[in-house]
């Protein structure tokens, strides 16, 4: 079996990290399967992918998703011809599009190579506002992996055949690291600051609720003026989004309540310093950072119905689930966990047990590998 994986980028974010974990598992457990990764936008994980398998890293304009196979001059046409010649000589059996952002490229290659396409769908409904996902591309896919029932429903809304959708909850290299670590609990117990540290992880984009952070900070200060807290935002390296947030925080006089941390190769040490995870996503297909925090014994706060990971959560058992866009409710939930250590630890331990149980008995990469074996055969 020879598989061409297509990743929209190689950043330290959910879908590329999940793909890196899968490629490593394939190399370890079924070395007879050959993997090649086509990365449409270069990034820090490219080196890690290169350690596991051959990597194609486009450098010129035609390789960019929006310009792929749309030549504007002779050099472009020559570059594309050389690329297609290289791809055809690899004799791939399957194209594995690792996200909807890589689907257009996968469909074009399917028409040229005449091999099936499997789409790993990490997206949710609101992604259609940001990503061009056409029904004709969905209909051209031969099978789907959805990362949650929420993602499965989104695929169905796009016209996908339900019989072709397999729901497999995602994993990451950090989840594997946490499951195999013997000193995680010891690390998480060392926090001695009286200040409540709230974690917010991911890009500061509208879909992730980054624009809501300054308002949450202001509500917390107004409703609980004596509460000593700080929000640490991890993983956003886009200057414009951060500057917009900083502007709002300055206007609301809460700049001292937020601290930014650039994307990290291994963020787990930073996570251990936090008391809880705040997820402000308007909609998210899963949210891998929730089980990552959960395996550290940290509870989560999120909007009801907005994340596929809610499949594993119970309000007041292992998380606080707040009505959609109820920012007063978010502020009160942070204050509640920040001022009640017993409740915070109880919910965190409950979430740790749930996520440990799931990832101990469900091998995400193993499920995908079995699916690939069945599908190719």
């Amino acid at each position: 079996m020879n598989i061409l994986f297509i990743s929209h980028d190689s950043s330290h974010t959910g879908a590329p990290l999940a793909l890196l974990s899968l490629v490593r598992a394939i190399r370890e457990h079924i070395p007879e399967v050959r993997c090649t990764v086509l990365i449409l936008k270069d990034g820090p994980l490219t080196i890690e992918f290169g350690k596991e398998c051959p990597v194609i890293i486009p450098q010129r304009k035609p390789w960019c998703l929006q310009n792929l196979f749309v030549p504007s001059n002779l050099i472009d046409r020559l570059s594309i011809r050389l690329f297609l010649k290289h791809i055809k000589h690899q004799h791939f059996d399957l194209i594995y599009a690792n996200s909807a952002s890589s689907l257009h490229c996968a469909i074009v290659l399917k028409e040229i190579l005449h091999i099936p396409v499997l789409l790993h769908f990490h997206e949710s409904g609101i992604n259609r506002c940001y990503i061009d996902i056409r029904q004709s591309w969905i209909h051209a896919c031969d099978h789907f992996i959805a990362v949650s029932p929420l993602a499965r429903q989104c695929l169905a809304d796009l016209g996908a055949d339900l019989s072709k959708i397999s729901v497999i909850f995602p994993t990451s290299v950090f989840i594997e690291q946490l499951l195999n670590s013997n000193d995680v609990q010891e690390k998480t117990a060392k926090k001695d600051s009286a200040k409540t540290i709230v974690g917010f992880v991911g890009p500061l984009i509208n879909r992730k609720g980054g624009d809501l952070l300054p308002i949450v900070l202001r509500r917390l200060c107004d409703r609980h003026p004596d509460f000593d807290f700080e929000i640490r935002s991890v993983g956003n390296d886009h200057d414009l989004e951060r500057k917009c947030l900083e502007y709002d925080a300055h206007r609301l006089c809460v700049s001292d309540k937020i601290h930014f941390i650039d994307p990290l190769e291994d963020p787990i040490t930073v996570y251990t310093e936090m008391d809880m995870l705040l997820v402000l996503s308007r909609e998210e297909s899963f949210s891998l950072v929730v089980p990552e925090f959960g395996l550290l014994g940290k509870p989560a706060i999120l909007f009801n119905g907005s994340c596929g990971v809610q499949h594993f959560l119970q309000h007041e058992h292992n998380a606080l689930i707040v009505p959609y866009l109820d920012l007063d409710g978010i502020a009160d939930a942070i204050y509640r966990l920040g001022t009640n250590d017993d409740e915070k630890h109880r919910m965190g331990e409950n979430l740790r047990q749930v996520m440990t149980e799931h990832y101990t008995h469900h091998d995400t990469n193993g499920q995908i590998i079995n699916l690939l074996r069945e599908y190719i055969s």
Side-chain angles (χ1 to χ4, degrees), residues 307-337:
C307 292
V309 76
Q310 193 172 333
H311 175 86
F312 295 99
L313 305 181
Q314 295 180 37
H315 179 53
E316 298 196 345
H317 175 69
N318 54 19
L320 290 179
I321 301 173
V322 177
Y324 184 60
L325 293 186
D326 180 359
L327 300 187
D328 286 343
I330 291 287
D332 291 344
I334 293 172
Y335 178 76
R336 175 178 169 182
L337 292 181

Side-chain angles (χ1 to χ4, degrees), residues 281-318:
S281 296
R282 289 174 166 87
E283 188 178 35
E284 192 157 350
S285 60
F286 189 75
S287 188
L288 272 167
V289 73
V290 173
E292 289 168 1
F293 268 70
L295 290 169
L296 288 167
K298 319 277 188 179
I301 299 170
L302 67 161
F303 292 130
N304 188 28
S306 290
C307 292
V309 76
Q310 193 172 333
H311 175 86
F312 295 99
L313 305 181
Q314 295 180 37
H315 179 53
E316 298 196 345
H317 175 69
N318 54 19

